[in-house]
Amino acid sequence: MTASRSDSLVVLFGATAGAYGAKLGSDERELILLVWQVVDLPGKKVGTLHKSLVKADNLELSDQCREVSGLTPEGLGKAEPLDRVLQQFIQLVSSDLKVLGRSSYTLCSDGQLLIRQVLHPETSKKNFLLSDCFYSFYDLRKEFHTCYPSSAAVKDQTIKTMAEYLGLGTDETEEDFGVWQVKTMVAIIFSMLSESCNHIFTEPETVKYKYETGPCSKSETVDNETVIRARGLPWQSSDQDIARFFKGLNIAKGGVALCLNAQGRRNGEALVRFVNSEQRDLALERHKHHMGSRYIEVYKATGEEFLKIAGGTSNEVAQFLSKENQVIIRMRGLPFTATQEDVLGFLGPECPVTGGKEGLLFVKYPDGRPTGDAFVLFSCEEYAQNALKKHKEILGKRYIELFRSTAAEVQQVLNRYMSTPLIPTLPTPIIPVIPPPYTIATGSIRDCVRLRGLPYTAGIDDILEFMGDATADIKPHGVHMVLNQQGRPSGDAFIQMKSADKAFMVAQKCHKKMMKDRYVEVFQCSGEEMNFVLMGGTLNRSGLSPPPCKLPCLSPPAYAAFQTAAVIPAEAALYQPQALLPAARTPQASAAAPPTVTYYPAQAAQLYMNYTAYYPSPPVSPTTVGYIAAPPGAVAAAATATHTPILPQPGALVRMQGLPYNTGMKEILSFFQGYQA
């Protein structure tokens, strides 16, 4: 039982199987110890001191934990699990309150970490609810600094420094671990209650019970010190999933913004806004904590970035989102002729929409044409779950996709479509921008190594950790992750070393070394062999087998730019496609149809690379292959250098995605009616 101003405190101390002190909870290790004692504030009396060990799922203890606590896995193996310990905690506290003649209490801990970074995240992962008493607590460090303003800053306080400031005994060896901490905290509280200070505990810290949704206006001011970027989220994550990942920390109302890519799909990132900078700093300590089996990266972000994603100006959206605490579902792939009645009929009576037609928001282009997207409001989780069960069911002749959504996603989708020009302008020709010193290796010098059998989740950091001290011998931008035709990791990587000797040593040292749960094969190779493999050949300790398409057998596409993620070397130039093909395979070009301008790499062998695509990356982080619009002068200069005249193009190609499978030429011509030249 708790109250806004309690007549008792429950002084609480805890420890995990991992980090201690300022890093408590930062390593996701489980709670293994709870020590507590009830303090009667008006009577200045105390109840019985209780110490309880907690049996963790993983009984392995860190060296720091063993040294500081003196606990052993054997002792913890006989303890009760966390849910039972917390039940005993509630029962024993209630019993002590009756003995002291008190009825209400509030927790008091040494700082924020035990409550916010340990208890709430761990119970959330183990899927059991905490008692209401854990949603309100006093931070002894803040209360102490309020009572003694001349003491050290709150972030620098510890139980020992507070005791030293008051001249209390600080010999921790006199008591068991945890017992000394609680007894000292009680002594500090009694000093604060003395007549000289007469401190009153009035404003406890609070933990939000649940995340509150809501709209965000672009006119709002968002503090830069309250926003983080979470990266690596599962694509199906909702705002509630993200709020659960940050359980124990107070997220601002409508403070979760899922980021979308250029195609309007989630890209695995989200911006999260917290109520203050203190909560943001605690969120940063959850860097590489896990959501399911995936670890999530957490970085600082700015208020401007948050507003760019979550902010909106549309009155229609503001009105749609004005109904608070609603579950938002996004529908994608609707027939363009679908009406509100069609959508309500599709959802059915088992999942009633909030407000009927008012709970539907169709996404349209500026000219009023439908995009096939819509957002729907539901008043409770049950109705939303019923709607999600209709994922990929048929409406008309199309299957409909349904996903959880957020207010920020509604704003993003509406902003993206409403800012789309009615008649898009043709893009300026693009040229690749790659730093000239970092070109892909060629030649017969065996100064490269190939890694085969990498886990598909492996990234640059994993490879660098796998190579150990040899990372110092990697050339700048010398790590090349090999992707398949779908742009996903293939399990291979090439690394350019500073010399053939370094490559040989790495191959000998790291061959069949374990990365995560897989062993990785490491072969020494040359730049020439690397290019053969990228074209589809094979390389192992038995030698090199040439690719099946060693000789050109396909005409290169006459697109305006590469559509794959293949690397374009820095020395790439402008070519006419006809100039690169054998005469016998080149169709006769009519005088009325001038050749198109296409970008191809200087090395003709890479023109036919249709097996894998790869990108260059430096040690530490991947490099994005950038593209910039080429000014007319650059295009003309490139044409002059290759003695190829550039003629005006009579038209341009566009690519259409998402067409129904039964679409014919007549439907496509009808779709573009009014845009013919």
Side-chain angles (χ1 to χ4, degrees):
M1 182 177 178
T2 59
S4 58
R5 182 173 177 181
S6 305
D7 49 25
S8 301
L9 296 179
V10 176
V11 178
L12 184 66
F13 177 82
T16 70
Y20 175 71
K23 288 295 183 180
L24 183 70
S26 63
D27 52 4
E28 289 188 284
R29 298 303 302 273
E30 296 171 274
L31 192 72
I32 59 170
L33 174 69
L34 274 180
V35 186
W36 69 91
Q37 188 171 29
V38 176
V39 177
D40 176 5
L41 294 178
K44 298 182 181 179
K45 296 182 293 184
V46 296
T48 305
L49 190 147
H50 301 275
K51 179 178 179 179
S52 181
L53 298 181
V54 183
K55 182 180 180 180
D57 293 339
N58 180 5
L59 293 176
E60 182 181 353
L61 305 180
S62 69
D63 293 339
Q64 184 185 27
C65 177
R66 288 174 180 270
E67 180 181 352
V68 173
S69 68
L71 299 175
T72 63
E74 293 75 18
L76 294 174
K78 302 175 183 178
E80 296 285 350
L82 180 59
D83 55 345
R84 294 184 184 177
V85 170
L86 292 179
Q87 290 175 3
Q88 295 172 5
F89 169 83
I90 299 298
Q91 294 169 358
L92 291 171
V93 167
S94 298
S95 176
D96 289 344
L97 286 174
K98 289 181 180 179
V99 172
L100 294 171
R102 300 300 172 186
S103 58
S104 63
Y105 68 93
T106 304
L107 300 181
C108 180
S109 65
D110 171 35
Q112 309 265 322
L113 302 183
L114 176 62
I115 304 293
R116 295 192 186 275
Q117 298 286 67
V118 178
L119 278 168
H120 278 281
E122 183 173 340
T123 54
S124 177
K125 288 179 180 178
K126 293 183 177 179
N127 292 314
F128 62 86
L129 297 176
L130 278 172
S131 172
D132 290 348
C133 67
F134 291 99
Y135 288 85
S136 177
F137 67 98
Y138 287 106
D139 182 343
L140 183 59
R141 300 183 186 189
K142 289 184 179 180
E143 298 294 329
F144 185 84
H145 189 72
T146 301
C147 186
Y148 302 101
S150 60
S151 62
V154 173
K155 63 183 179 64
D156 298 324
Q157 296 279 19
T158 64
I159 296 176
K160 189 171 184 178
T161 59
M162 289 187 286
E164 289 175 346
Y165 184 87
L166 297 174
L168 303 176
T170 58
D171 187 2
E172 300 180 39
T173 60
E174 295 180 358
E175 304 282 357
D176 289 341
F177 178 71
V179 173
W180 177 87
Q181 283 81 356
V182 169
K183 286 185 175 181
T184 305
M185 290 168 69
V186 171
I188 292 170
I189 291 172
F190 281 152
S191 296
M192 295 165 63
L193 296 174
S194 64
E195 294 182 0
S196 59
C197 297
N198 199 26
H199 182 73
I200 301 176
F201 292 84
T202 56
E203 297 183 6
E205 300 284 319
T206 58
V207 179
K208 286 190 175 183
Y209 281 88
K210 65 178 183 178
Y211 167 67
E212 298 178 276
T213 60
C216 177
S217 171
K218 284 189 179 293
S219 60
E220 286 189 38
T221 300
V222 179
D223 187 356
N224 288 335
E225 300 301 315
T226 62
V227 183
I228 62 94
R229 180 183 295 273
R231 182 179 297 163
L233 299 165
W235 66 269
Q236 70 272 31
S237 298
S238 68
D239 53 353
Q240 297 296 337
D241 295 323
I242 295 169
R244 186 177 181 182
F245 175 79
F246 289 109
K247 184 69 173 175
L249 306 181
N250 293 340
I251 299 174
K253 184 177 180 180
V256 177
L258 294 165
C259 301
L260 307 181
N261 60 20
Q263 288 74 43
R265 299 177 184 269
R266 296 173 187 173
N267 63 4
E269 296 188 5
L271 293 170
V272 185
R273 176 188 179 190
F274 294 90
V275 295
N276 55 42
S277 59
E278 180 183 35
Q279 303 290 305
R280 193 283 306 267
D281 292 341
L282 291 174
L284 292 172
E285 291 296 324
R286 300 197 187 182
H287 179 60
K288 291 197 173 182
H289 281 205
H290 288 76
M291 180 184 289
S293 59
R294 302 180 62 128
Y295 71 80
I296 309 301
E297 300 174 356
V298 182
Y299 304 100
K300 290 182 180 180
T302 66
E304 182 181 357
E305 289 175 303
F306 181 82
L307 286 176
K308 185 177 179 181
I309 298 298
T313 57
S314 170
N315 292 330
E316 183 183 15
V317 176
Q319 183 178 357
F320 176 75
L321 297 175
S322 62
K323 301 177 182 65
E324 297 182 357
N325 297 321
Q326 300 289 309
V327 183
I328 305 175
I329 297 296
R330 180 181 179 184
M331 302 180 70
R332 193 166 62 197
L334 291 169
F336 295 145
T337 57
T339 63
Q340 292 177 324
E341 290 77 10
D342 294 332
V343 174
L344 293 175
F346 172 80
L347 294 171
E350 64 271 20
C351 36
V353 177
T354 302
K357 294 181 181 180
E358 294 181 0
L360 295 176
L361 178 65
F362 285 91
V363 183
K364 299 180 180 180
Y365 289 106
D367 61 355
R369 288 183 296 120
T371 64
D373 279 27
F375 292 93
V376 190
L377 294 179
F378 296 99
S379 59
C380 66
E381 186 68 30
E382 180 185 356
Y383 295 158
Q385 287 292 342
N386 290 339
L388 291 172
K389 292 176 183 177
K390 296 180 179 292
H391 180 60
K392 292 197 173 181
E393 288 191 8
I394 302 297
L395 175 59
K397 295 183 179 180
R398 306 194 64 172
Y399 71 83
I400 310 302
E401 298 175 294
L402 290 94
F403 309 97
R404 286 181 173 275
S405 188
T406 67
E409 186 171 12
V410 176
Q411 298 281 20
Q412 283 184 84
V413 173
L414 266 293
N415 291 344
R416 173 173 283 108
Y417 281 115
M418 292 305 293
S419 62
T420 303
L422 293 177
I423 303 179
T425 56
L426 293 177
T428 308
I430 58 173
I431 57 175
V433 180
I434 300 179
Y438 309 130
T439 55
I440 302 301
T442 58
S444 58
I445 301 176
R446 299 174 63 80
D447 57 353
C448 303
V449 291
R450 178 191 182 189
L451 275 59
R452 188 171 68 184
L454 294 168
Y456 294 124
T457 58
I460 301 298
D461 292 340
D462 299 310
I463 291 177
L464 297 179
E465 182 180 354
F466 172 81
M467 294 188 63
D469 297 338
T471 54
D473 300 318
I474 300 175
K475 287 184 178 180
H477 292 239
V479 180
H480 308 283
M481 300 285 288
V482 180
L483 309 180
N484 61 20
Q485 291 180 338
Q486 287 74 43
R488 296 171 181 168
S490 66
D492 282 21
F494 285 96
I495 300 176
Q496 294 175 255
M497 308 301 293
K498 292 181 178 178
S499 67
D501 292 339
K502 301 294 185 183
F504 175 78
M505 292 176 62
V506 170
Q508 294 295 317
K509 179 181 178 182
C510 298
H511 184 57
K512 292 197 174 182
K513 181 179 173 182
M514 298 297 293
M515 179 185 293
K516 298 183 178 179
D517 297 329
R518 303 185 62 171
Y519 73 83
V520 179
E521 298 176 290
V522 183
F523 307 109
Q524 185 182 7
C525 66
S526 66
E528 181 181 7
E529 293 170 332
M530 179 174 71
N531 286 323
F532 267 66
V533 173
L534 292 173
M535 291 172 60
T538 59
L539 172 65
N540 51 40
R541 292 189 177 271
S542 301
L544 179 70
S545 300
C549 61
K550 179 67 175 70
L551 297 176
C553 59
L554 295 174
S555 300
Y559 297 163
F562 273 102
Q563 296 189 9
T564 66
V567 164
I568 304 174
E571 63 270 17
L574 290 169
Y575 291 94
Q576 297 297 332
Q578 289 81 353
L580 293 169
L581 299 176
R585 302 179 63 86
T586 305
Q588 289 289 349
S590 64
T596 57
V597 177
T598 311
Y599 294 99
Y600 289 114
Q603 299 170 4
Q606 292 190 13
L607 290 176
Y608 312 99
M609 187 182 67
N610 51 11
Y611 287 85
T612 56
Y614 59 100
Y615 63 90
S617 53
V620 179
S621 63
T623 292
T624 301
V625 179
Y627 293 90
I628 61 172
V635 177
T640 303
T642 58
H643 307 289
T644 306
I646 289 187
L647 301 177
Q649 299 185 43
L653 294 175
V654 295
R655 180 183 179 187
M656 301 177 69
Q657 287 182 312
L659 290 171
Y661 294 118
N662 58 353
T663 301
M665 185 177 298
K666 182 179 178 180
E667 287 80 11
I668 295 176
L669 292 175
S670 176
F671 179 81
F672 284 107
Q673 185 175 3
Y675 292 93
Q676 287 90 343

